[in-house]
Amino acid sequence: MKMLLLYIKQLCTDGDIRGTRCKHVSCAERLWRKSNLPEDFIHYKFMVKTYNSALHLSKQTYFNILITSLSNNPKRLFDTFQSLLNPRVQTPTTDLRADDLANYFKEKIDHVRQEIISKSLHTMHCPPSPTASSSFSDFEPVTEEEVIRHLASSRPTTCTSDPIPSHLLQSLSPAVPSRLTKIFNLSLTSGYNGGLSTAFQNAVDKPLMLGEGCRSPPLSGHVGFDSMPDQLVNKSINQGFCFNILCVGETGLGKSTLMDTLFNTKFEGEQISHSQPGVQLKSRSYDLTESNVRLKMTIVSTAGFGDQINKEDSYKPIVDFIDSQFEAFLQEELKIKRVLHNYHDSRIHVCLYFIAPTGHSLKSVDLVTMKKLDSKVNIIPVIAKSDVVSKNELTKFKIKITSELVSNGVQIYQFPTDDETVAEINGTMNAHLPFAVVGSTEEAKIGNKMMKVRQYPWGTVQVYTPPTGIKLFSVA
């Protein structure tokens, strides 16, 4: 109840209703004053009436809830009624005039100028600032034609501090041009009738940083719109990147090993046993740096997936986790004060679905899980430990997997081919789906280089280099 009251109070004061007043009612008023058309005036009256009705309804709702919530607090209830029946009258907080405001800014500018000059003398040699000033009385007086022309070309906007509304002054200018010209000229020369403050009648030209004997600070680089891509790259590098991976697959398929191989690092984590009572999702975040580029990596693993006898509901914890990340981001976006630039977006970018290298077909739990996830996340199927099957078996297995995915209506991620610059390479990548992968953290010296390999009694599989081994995310 308390949070609801705070929300409605903010809505009545600073929220959408006052925003509607600024956006719609003010626009309708400006349109009517500019066109003077009857239909625009009717529209303006309608907008004002709609705004007043909405404001009245919001205030009524707020105070109804407030009075109901204070039914057990007589003191605060009495204070609420007292504030409604006897509202406090706001009195002017100051009696300052326009001259006082002008003098304040003139003194502030002089103070800032003196500080800059005093600091500049320690680092550079600058000529003394001129002290001579010229009065506005030295300017030539304006003519009637100039006054009428400037008034006619000015915008008909006005504010509460104007003695005469702008549109009224424009309509009167052709009738009294001589009187207006006299007032303007007297204001420029002597500040007649308070038209111009004394502080604004002296124009002083004082150079601050530039001039003879002073240096001009050099530009940091080329200035032009051709440097915009570089600026975007620098901004992205400074902010860093965020990438969230969901690894789905049975225990023991090498999900953690593949992540270590893919990012060439050792991610800390505990070993998962096959005795999990259910599917548990574990999320870990890591800060990676490569060539001054920062990456905040989040790896979500599915502990216990496929280890139960009854695998009917194995997909539900995964779907619930993905939905919860969407909901968390939505709640952050719905806040009145959002801080999305510092918010860690935990939504999943890609799901690597690990398929056991049986060489026969997909399991039922794989088809059901991928069908439930294909509308929520980008699924990239990968054949784990693909070095345990021969190349001919692997080719037939990939064809079988693709056929089963199509026949069951499972939508996997397809690399976009709309852009001509990447259409060829992305088309090649789509032809390789599902990817056959091999991961390893062991290193061995091959030739003159240390490379990640999987060693067997009958040979060595190089993880990254085809065709002697199976390249990561490539065909065997």
Side-chain angles (χ1 to χ4, degrees):
M1 179 66 71
K2 184 177 181 181
M3 295 299 295
L4 180 61
L5 287 173
L6 292 175
Y7 174 74
I8 296 178
K9 183 177 181 180
Q10 188 167 10
L11 184 65
C12 294
T13 55
D14 301 324
D16 296 337
I17 294 179
R18 295 192 180 275
T20 303
R21 166 64 179 171
C22 296
K23 293 180 180 178
H24 301 290
V25 181
S26 300
C27 291
E29 181 181 4
R30 287 195 298 268
L31 181 62
W32 164 60
R33 294 188 182 278
K34 186 176 181 179
S35 63
N36 291 325
L37 296 176
E39 52 268 24
D40 291 337
F41 178 68
I42 295 175
H43 177 66
Y44 166 63
K45 290 178 61 179
F46 172 75
M47 294 301 298
V48 173
K49 183 177 180 181
T50 303
Y51 164 74
N52 292 333
S53 300
L55 185 62
H56 176 74
L57 179 61
S58 298
K59 289 183 177 180
Q60 184 179 5
T61 304
Y62 166 70
F63 285 111
N64 284 340
I65 298 178
L66 179 62
I67 292 173
T68 303
S69 63
L70 297 178
S71 58
N72 297 327
N73 194 340
K75 183 179 184 303
R76 291 193 59 188
L77 184 63
F78 176 78
D79 294 339
T80 301
F81 279 106
Q82 185 70 14
S83 62
L84 292 176
L85 297 176
N86 300 312
R88 291 181 296 179
V89 179
Q90 296 183 353
T91 58
T93 57
T94 179
D95 56 351
L96 296 177
R97 299 173 300 172
D99 289 354
D100 300 325
L101 181 63
N103 288 322
Y104 167 75
F105 279 105
K106 181 177 181 297
E107 294 174 358
K108 190 175 185 65
I109 292 172
D110 292 339
H111 176 68
V112 173
R113 179 182 289 113
Q114 293 298 329
E115 285 189 350
I116 294 177
I117 293 175
S118 61
K119 292 181 180 179
S120 302
L121 291 177
H122 297 287
T123 57
M124 65 185 70
H125 175 69
C126 295
S129 301
T131 57
S133 62
S134 58
S135 174
F136 279 142
S137 60
D138 295 339
F139 289 92
E140 295 182 0
V142 296
T143 62
E144 294 183 5
E145 292 76 10
E146 292 176 338
V147 172
I148 295 176
R149 184 174 68 254
H150 285 291
L151 287 177
S153 61
S154 61
R155 298 179 59 185
T157 56
T158 186
C159 63
T160 56
S161 61
D162 292 337
I164 302 176
S166 301
H167 63 89
L168 179 60
L169 184 61
Q170 287 181 338
S171 61
L172 292 177
S173 59
V176 287
S178 59
R179 183 62 64 113
L180 290 177
T181 304
K182 183 178 180 180
I183 293 175
F184 290 153
N185 288 328
L186 287 175
S187 299
L188 288 175
T189 56
S190 60
Y192 174 75
N193 199 24
L196 187 67
S197 170
T198 306
F200 286 164
Q201 292 180 17
N202 294 328
V204 181
D205 182 16
K206 296 182 179 181
L208 296 181
M209 297 297 294
L210 303 181
E212 183 179 358
C214 297
R215 65 176 181 88
S216 174
L219 296 175
S220 58
H222 171 68
V223 177
F225 62 84
D226 59 340
S227 63
M228 292 181 62
D230 297 332
Q231 296 177 12
L232 295 176
V233 171
N234 293 334
K235 180 180 179 181
S236 299
I237 291 177
N238 293 332
Q239 291 181 348
F241 298 91
C242 175
F243 194 54
N244 305 323
I245 299 179
L246 172 63
C247 298
V248 182
E250 298 177 359
T251 306
L253 287 181
K255 300 186 293 295
S256 301
T257 303
L258 182 64
M259 291 295 102
D260 295 345
T261 307
L262 184 61
F263 294 97
N264 195 23
T265 186
K266 177 63 177 177
F267 295 111
E268 296 180 358
E270 56 184 9
Q271 293 290 335
I272 305 299
S273 64
H274 292 270
S275 58
Q276 297 288 338
V279 180
Q280 298 179 357
L281 276 78
K282 298 183 178 181
S283 176
R284 292 180 178 271
S285 297
Y286 308 91
D287 293 323
L288 307 179
T289 303
E290 182 177 310
S291 300
N292 296 327
V293 177
R294 294 181 292 107
L295 174 66
K296 188 175 184 62
M297 167 69 62
T298 300
I299 300 177
V300 182
S301 59
T302 54
F305 181 81
D307 292 339
Q308 295 77 32
I309 297 177
N310 183 9
K311 305 178 179 63
E312 182 179 359
D313 297 333
S314 297
Y315 67 89
K316 288 186 178 180
I318 306 175
V319 173
D320 294 341
F321 176 83
I322 296 176
D323 290 340
S324 65
Q325 307 312 308
F326 284 126
E327 181 66 23
F329 188 82
L330 176 62
Q331 293 301 325
E332 184 67 24
E333 278 193 328
L334 294 178
K335 290 182 179 179
I336 297 176
K337 293 184 179 180
R338 297 184 291 269
V339 287
L340 294 179
H341 61 283
N342 291 329
Y343 176 74
H344 175 53
D345 188 2
S346 58
R347 294 176 296 176
I348 300 299
H349 295 103
V350 63
C351 169
L352 296 181
Y353 197 95
F354 289 75
I355 301 173
T358 60
H360 301 291
S361 61
L362 290 173
K363 299 180 180 179
S364 299
V365 65
D366 297 331
L367 288 173
V368 173
T369 303
M370 282 193 281
K371 184 62 178 177
K372 295 294 183 179
L373 296 180
D374 63 355
S375 61
K376 300 178 181 294
V377 69
N378 300 317
I379 300 178
I380 298 180
V382 294
I383 302 175
K385 298 183 178 181
S386 57
D387 56 327
V388 301
V389 294
S390 64
K391 290 187 177 181
N392 293 333
E393 291 175 340
L394 185 60
T395 302
K396 295 179 181 179
F397 189 35
K398 295 174 71 171
I399 295 175
K400 182 66 174 178
I401 291 174
T402 304
S403 175
E404 291 184 349
L405 292 176
V406 173
S407 61
N408 288 275
V410 178
Q411 300 292 331
I412 62 175
Y413 178 75
Q414 295 290 326
F415 293 91
T417 57
D418 300 335
D419 191 352
E420 296 180 357
T421 58
V422 294
E424 183 177 356
I425 186 173
N426 284 353
T428 304
M429 298 294 287
N430 290 331
H432 291 333
L433 289 170
F435 296 128
V437 298
V438 175
S440 175
T441 57
E442 300 178 3
E443 291 186 352
K445 190 174 183 180
I446 306 296
N448 296 326
K449 296 182 180 180
M450 296 296 295
M451 305 187 67
K452 291 186 179 296
V453 298
R454 293 188 68 89
Q455 295 182 347
Y456 298 99
W458 54 86
T460 301
V461 177
Q462 299 181 23
V463 173
Y464 294 126
T465 307
T468 56
I470 302 176
K471 185 181 179 181
L472 193 65
F473 287 171
S474 183
V475 184

